[in-house]
């Protein structure tokens, strides 16, 4: 379904068969989504607002600069903290950079967080700061952020089982190493990792992986 009407309230809360919604047009409608939506996407400019407070479990996809702007200003402000996002995917084909700190005040619960840029975008992002604020993360995928060097903020995500950071500029992966205090209580690190992929970076020391 592609909402494209202007200047009115579009209440879809009773549409029990609606599972996927993609916003593609310059609409100024206010849209209320039903609980049954499982996939929500933005790939162009949208001037309205979307109420996702009823949605309980879904995949969120944002494409390009307009998609990200809409996501931050017109969608996530209605996020219900009881909601679980299966996968939060950002396709940065038209983004020059992304500041992950926009995630910090949202109190998101999400299983997989994925960001990918195309090679020509040359995304300027240098740090992952902000991603660590997502509760419940078990998987992170970051692809083609050639200026990304600092992943230290991820050290508190001790439930991660899968980490993929490829085509970036990572040198230090000590963040992955579990650190315990004198009482053998985990302070930081990723002791549950079962899958790590970090090709096309600048990593010279992989000794932390032996742990």
């Amino acid at each position: 379904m592609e909402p494209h009407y202007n200047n009115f309230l579009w209440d879809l809360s009773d549409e029990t068969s609606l599972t996927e919604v993609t916003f593609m047009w310059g609409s100024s409608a206010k849209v209320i989504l039903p609980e049954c939506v499982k996939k929500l996407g933005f790939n162009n400019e949208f001037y309205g607002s979307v109420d996702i407070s009823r949605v309980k479990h879904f995949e969120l996809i944002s494409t390009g600069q307009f998609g990200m702007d809409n996501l931050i200003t017109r969608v996530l402000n209605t996020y219900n903290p009881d909601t679980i996002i299966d996968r939060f995917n950002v396709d940065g084909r038209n983004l020059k950079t992304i500041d992950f700190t926009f995630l910090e005040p949202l109190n998101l619960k999400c299983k997989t967080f994925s960001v990918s840029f195309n090679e020509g975008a040359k995304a300027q992002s240098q740090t992952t700061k902000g991603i660590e604020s997502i509760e419940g993360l078990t998987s992170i995928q970051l692809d083609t952020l050639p200026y990304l060097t600092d992943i230290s903020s991820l050290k508190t995500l001790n439930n991660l089982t899968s980490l993929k950071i490829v085509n970036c500029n990572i040198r230090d992966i000590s963040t992955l190493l579990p650190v315990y205090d004198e009482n053998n209580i985990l302070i930081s690190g990723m002791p549950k990792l079962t899958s790590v992929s970090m090709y096309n970076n600048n990593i010279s020391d992989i000794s932390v992986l032996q742990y």
Side-chain angles (χ1 to χ4, degrees):
M1 176 173 286
E2 300 173 0
H4 57 277
Y5 299 99
N6 292 320
N7 299 314
F8 77 105
L9 173 65
W10 195 0
D11 188 349
L12 302 174
S13 55
D14 293 327
E15 298 292 331
T16 57
S17 62
L18 187 62
T19 60
E20 182 173 342
V21 180
T22 302
F23 293 89
M24 300 181 65
W25 307 100
S27 170
S28 58
K30 178 179 180 181
V31 182
I32 301 176
L33 295 180
E35 181 177 336
C36 55
V37 168
K38 299 300 181 185
K39 190 173 183 178
L40 177 62
F42 283 83
N43 60 1
N44 227 319
E45 197 157 14
F46 178 72
Y47 301 103
S49 61
V50 183
D51 185 346
I52 62 172
S53 60
R54 290 172 52 89
V55 183
K56 299 301 181 184
H57 218 283
F58 67 106
E59 177 180 357
L60 185 58
I61 301 173
S62 180
T63 304
Q65 184 65 56
F66 289 141
M68 277 301 298
D69 290 347
N70 284 309
L71 186 66
I72 297 169
T73 61
R74 307 180 190 279
V75 182
L76 290 177
N77 61 334
T78 65
Y79 173 76
N80 182 343
D82 294 329
T83 298
I84 297 175
I85 301 175
D86 277 323
R87 182 182 181 92
F88 187 157
N89 181 46
V90 178
D91 180 344
R93 66 185 68 178
N94 297 314
L95 286 172
K96 295 300 182 186
T97 190
I98 181 170
D99 182 353
F100 295 115
T101 57
F102 82 88
L103 297 165
E104 293 178 346
L106 299 175
N107 299 314
L108 294 181
K109 294 178 181 178
C110 180
K111 295 180 180 179
T112 296
F113 183 74
S114 173
V115 178
S116 61
F117 287 77
N118 62 33
E119 188 173 352
K122 304 280 186 197
Q124 303 293 313
S125 310
Q126 298 180 14
T127 176
T128 56
K129 180 172 171 50
I131 296 177
E132 75 284 353
S133 66
I134 301 176
E135 181 181 341
L137 272 179
T138 59
S139 176
I140 294 176
Q141 301 173 17
L142 304 176
D143 189 350
T144 315
L145 285 80
Y147 294 91
L148 181 64
T149 58
D150 181 9
I151 61 171
S152 60
S153 70
L154 304 182
K155 65 185 179 182
T156 59
L157 297 175
N158 47 47
N159 286 316
L160 276 185
T161 59
S162 176
L163 180 65
K164 180 178 181 180
I165 303 179
V166 299
N167 302 310
C168 297
N169 195 22
I170 304 303
R171 294 179 171 84
D172 180 9
I173 59 172
S174 59
T175 293
L176 282 59
L177 183 65
V179 177
Y180 298 87
D181 65 13
E182 63 275 10
N183 297 314
N184 203 32
I185 296 175
L186 182 68
I187 299 173
S188 65
M190 305 175 187
K192 297 182 181 181
L193 276 179
T194 58
S195 175
V196 178
S197 181
M198 304 192 79
Y199 59 82
N200 287 346
N201 281 283
N202 288 303
I203 301 166
S204 58
D205 181 4
I206 62 171
S207 60
V208 299
L209 297 178
Q210 67 182 305
Y211 298 94

